[in-house]
Amino acid sequence: MTIEFENPAALFLFLAIPVVYVLRCMKILSRISLPLNLSDWNGGNFKWNGTARTVLYALEKILCACFFVCLVLAYANPVRHKPQKLYASKGASLVFVIDASPSMAAKDIGAVCRLEAAKNAIAALAEANEGAELGLVEMAENAVLLVPPTMDRTLFFSRLNSITVGELGDGTAIGTGLACAVYHLEKTSAPRKSIVLMTDGENNSGTVHPHTAARLALSKNISLYILGIGTKGSVPLEYADPKTHRVYSGYLESNFDAESISKIAAEANGSFFEIESLPSLFQAISSVSKSESVVQSYYMKNQDTFYYAYFLSAAVLFAVLVWIIRRAVLREVL
């Protein structure tokens, strides 16, 4: 990102400031004033030499300087160039299926809960594949499509960050979540299509068996990556139910079964990663990113933002303030 001036020659007008200052000191250029003495034959002239007048005159000079600076900058027309990478060819299409069941609130992946660790990993993978289409499916008792495959990163991250534990009920509909992802991926024309599933439990809800959904992905030439997030044993858990607002706090007896989840990946000739820590999570994300990278052609284009209107508005504001001080406060005629 760079900032330039469309009319840089206008900046030479700043040289007028020292020139005017020198001329004023040499009394060659003096302020025009018309003295208006209000006095009787025996009285003295009216003078206002208080501190308030001195402060107002100083403020007026500062505002005049600000007016001149803003006016010159507006004339120079500052513009910010923000380079954008525009892809001329299609990249991979990735749909993330993320488990939002209550058990994903367990805190056994670093200092954050399983859901937050999964969301952070998805964000890292999305940033590493900036030319890819991204989609998002949330699952628990049911599965819903939050974002269809799109290049709109703002929409994707907004919906990803809004996912909360328990909002789709209690359960893990792995098969339904995978089937939903396959349905929307098969419609894209991307050269590579992949599903990245992040879950901590076995399928216990939904109407589609996960092995059936995995074989469907294989038949559609869709790669499947499954990240099994969690550890066995007693792990701390705390979350607020989005519907009842009841807070659940305590310990979860985690019976994380990596073997049953890995069998789903095997059905699709996919890859399974067992995640028990943050390093293993980001190592898995790095592996997925390398596997799904697609060489794309692109070109760079600048997105320009012009600021002359802001400086011109500020100059008008300073001019109005100077006029108010001179005419309404100091009661000057000129």
Side-chain angles (χ1 to χ4, degrees):
M1 183 178 66
T2 58
I3 296 179
E4 297 179 352
F5 293 95
E6 293 286 291
N7 183 24
L11 298 177
F12 285 105
L13 291 174
F14 284 127
L15 296 175
I17 296 177
V19 172
V20 171
Y21 178 78
V22 171
L23 293 177
R24 291 289 294 270
C25 291
M26 297 175 63
K27 300 188 181 299
I28 297 176
L29 182 64
S30 59
R31 183 177 179 181
I32 300 175
S33 61
L34 297 175
L36 181 61
N37 297 329
L38 300 176
S39 63
D40 56 23
W41 294 106
N42 298 318
N45 295 337
F46 172 76
K47 293 182 180 181
W48 182 16
N49 294 322
T51 304
R53 184 177 181 85
T54 303
V55 171
L56 287 173
Y57 267 125
L59 178 61
E60 176 197 353
K61 291 179 179 179
I62 293 173
L63 292 176
C64 284
C66 293
F67 162 76
F68 180 75
V69 169
C70 290
L71 198 62
V72 171
L73 290 176
Y75 185 40
N77 194 10
V79 57
R80 183 185 66 177
H81 302 298
K82 184 179 181 181
Q84 283 187 320
K85 185 183 290 186
L86 301 180
Y87 291 92
S89 62
K90 205 170 183 65
S93 186
L94 302 172
V95 173
F96 298 94
V97 182
I98 185 169
D99 188 352
S101 59
S103 59
M104 289 292 284
K107 294 183 178 180
D108 57 354
I109 306 296
V112 296
C113 68
R114 296 172 181 176
L115 179 61
E116 288 303 318
K119 289 162 69 172
N120 293 338
I122 290 175
L125 183 54
E127 291 176 358
N129 292 269
E130 59 179 352
E133 289 182 331
L134 303 177
L136 186 61
V137 173
E138 180 184 358
M139 69 171 188
E141 185 178 357
N142 296 301
V144 294
L145 177 73
L146 298 182
V147 182
T150 178
M151 292 291 292
D152 189 342
R153 290 301 200 264
T154 303
L155 172 64
F156 177 82
F157 286 116
S158 173
R159 298 308 300 271
L160 175 65
N161 294 330
S162 69
I163 296 176
T164 56
V165 168
E167 61 185 355
L168 292 183
D170 189 2
T172 308
I174 294 178
T176 306
L178 290 177
C180 180
V182 170
Y183 176 77
H184 288 88
L185 268 176
E186 67 174 341
K187 297 181 179 180
T188 70
S189 58
R192 290 186 65 89
K193 305 175 185 180
S194 304
I195 297 173
V196 180
L197 168 64
M198 295 185 174
T199 182
D200 68 345
E202 35 180 58
N203 186 78
N204 57 18
S205 184
T207 57
V208 181
H209 196 280
H211 288 194
T212 302
R215 289 192 293 269
L216 180 62
L218 179 62
S219 67
K220 300 294 183 180
N221 198 28
I222 298 174
S223 302
L224 177 60
Y225 301 91
I226 300 181
L227 279 63
I229 303 177
T231 59
K232 288 185 177 182
S234 181
V235 295
L237 177 144
E238 183 176 353
Y239 80 99
D241 190 295
K243 297 179 181 178
T244 64
H245 301 291
R246 180 180 176 183
V247 177
Y248 295 87
S249 180
Y251 286 85
L252 170 72
E253 290 302 324
S254 177
N255 296 316
F256 177 69
D257 186 6
E259 183 178 355
S260 64
I261 303 176
S262 64
K263 289 180 180 179
I264 302 174
E267 286 286 345
N269 291 336
S271 301
F272 171 73
F273 302 89
E274 187 172 355
I275 308 301
E276 296 183 342
S277 63
L278 285 178
S280 61
L281 175 59
F282 284 97
Q283 185 177 357
I285 287 297
S286 176
S287 178
V288 173
S289 178
K290 291 178 181 178
S291 300
E292 294 306 305
S293 62
V294 174
V295 178
Q296 295 177 258
S297 59
Y298 63 90
Y299 62 94
M300 302 300 295
K301 181 180 179 180
N302 282 329
Q303 181 182 11
D304 296 337
T305 304
F306 295 90
Y307 293 98
Y308 69 90
Y310 298 101
F311 286 106
L312 187 60
S313 300
V316 172
L317 176 62
F318 288 130
V320 171
L321 292 175
V322 169
W323 184 88
I324 291 174
I325 291 176
R326 286 185 177 180
R327 298 297 300 273
V329 181
L330 295 176
R331 303 292 183 178
E332 294 183 354
V333 178
L334 293 177

